[in-house]
Amino acid sequence: MPLRVATWNINSVRLRIDQVARFVAERGPDVLCLQEIKCREGEFPVAAFQAMGLPHLRIAGQKGWHGVAIASRLPIEDAPPLNACREGHARCVSAVVKGVEIQNFYIPAGGDVPDRALNPKFDHKLDFYERLTTEFGRRDPKAPLLVAGDLNVAPGEHDVWSHKQMSRIVSHTPIEVEAMTALQASLGFTDVVRAQTPEPQKLFSWWSYRALDFRKSNRGLRLDHLWTSPGLTPAVTPGSARILDDVREWERPSDHAPVVVELAV
């Protein structure tokens, strides 16, 4: 059986635990990488995940903000922690499942001003990217590694609703796209969703809550990603890497949709 891995910025795991349970029941992920859990480790709804059939957990929590977790149907082994956040936020968590190292990140959004000198949040975001680029540049590309998470950059012209308008807005500025490109090149990662759905088809995983009908306005961004190392890319099941945007239609949704891939490991 393939290993089905999903990533989802849940925007409060306790507030949306019913949506998580529905997603697990309907879509059957073996591994679920969550971002913005917005709780401390001791507040994480462990019993609910056990009831869902995802009892194996790695949690990096923080009071009220940030926070990431990995929940697995299969046993988890420890993976090297990558503490790329200079501010000490809970933005990184790791695990090994069926021999695959999984690194789950919630990279900072970066504030509103795309200038490192004027905006410490933007500088922090780029610093986070640079630290990961250095780390992965040291890795063995043949080792099976999956990078998952809300990376808070929509890299391509067709990953945003308007390339012209968004190129001056944080999440799609040239300096951010350059930072993401450097990270992807550091180990030769494959962006599996875009590899299976090539441009010019538009792909979005996030839509603002401000739109009453997110599909009608469709001002989306592709901020959520799954990347495979060269050693893992051959295991990606054709046609399995998708954004499950229908989940964004559910009651009280996260503003992000889950992204999923299957691995023949």
Side-chain angles (χ1 to χ4, degrees), residues 44-213:
F44 192 85
V46 171
F49 278 83
Q50 291 172 336
M52 292 175 214
L54 299 177
H56 305 283
L57 299 166
R58 290 290 185 274
I59 306 161
Q62 185 173 341
K63 183 179 180 180
W65 299 96
H66 318 311
V68 285
I70 298 173
S72 175
R73 180 178 62 82
L74 302 167
I76 286 178
E77 299 175 16
D78 290 334
L82 299 183
N83 297 315
C85 180
R86 73 182 186 195
E87 306 296 329
H89 300 161
R91 295 181 177 274
C92 311
V93 70
S94 60
V96 174
V97 181
K98 285 190 76 174
V100 177
E101 179 182 343
I102 299 170
Q103 293 286 348
N104 178 23
F105 301 116
Y106 174 43
I107 291 183
D112 296 324
V113 180
D115 187 305
R116 295 190 81 157
L118 299 177
N119 179 4
K121 291 181 179 180
F122 193 71
D123 182 65
H124 179 210
K125 180 177 190 173
L126 294 178
D127 180 78
F128 200 112
Y129 265 97
E130 289 161 358
R131 290 175 185 231
L132 290 181
T133 300
T134 298
E135 168 62 32
F136 289 132
R138 303 188 189 109
R139 296 293 196 93
D140 178 3
K142 296 188 293 294
L145 169 63
L146 179 73
V147 167
D150 178 358
L151 306 187
N152 258 316
V153 174
E157 178 178 349
H158 302 284
D159 296 325
V160 294
W161 65 273
S162 170
H163 172 63
K164 181 178 180 181
Q165 295 188 58
M166 288 300 302
S167 62
R168 298 183 296 276
I169 305 298
V170 172
S171 72
H172 188 61
T173 63
I175 189 171
E176 292 169 280
V177 173
E178 182 180 349
M180 176 174 268
T181 301
L183 176 57
Q184 190 172 353
S186 68
L187 195 64
F189 288 109
T190 295
D191 175 353
V192 294
V193 171
R194 186 46 89 185
Q196 293 194 359
T197 307
E199 295 184 324
Q201 182 168 331
K202 285 190 176 291
L203 290 174
F204 308 143
S205 66
W206 173 91
W207 296 261
S208 172
Y209 284 130
R210 287 177 225 165
L212 293 177
D213 184 341

Side-chain angles (χ1 to χ4, degrees), residues 6 8 19-29 32 244 247 250 258:
W8 193 5
Q19 287 90 332
V20 176
R22 177 182 173 184
F23 177 75
V24 172
E26 292 184 5
R27 308 303 167 93
L32 179 58
L244 304 177
V247 175
W250 292 0

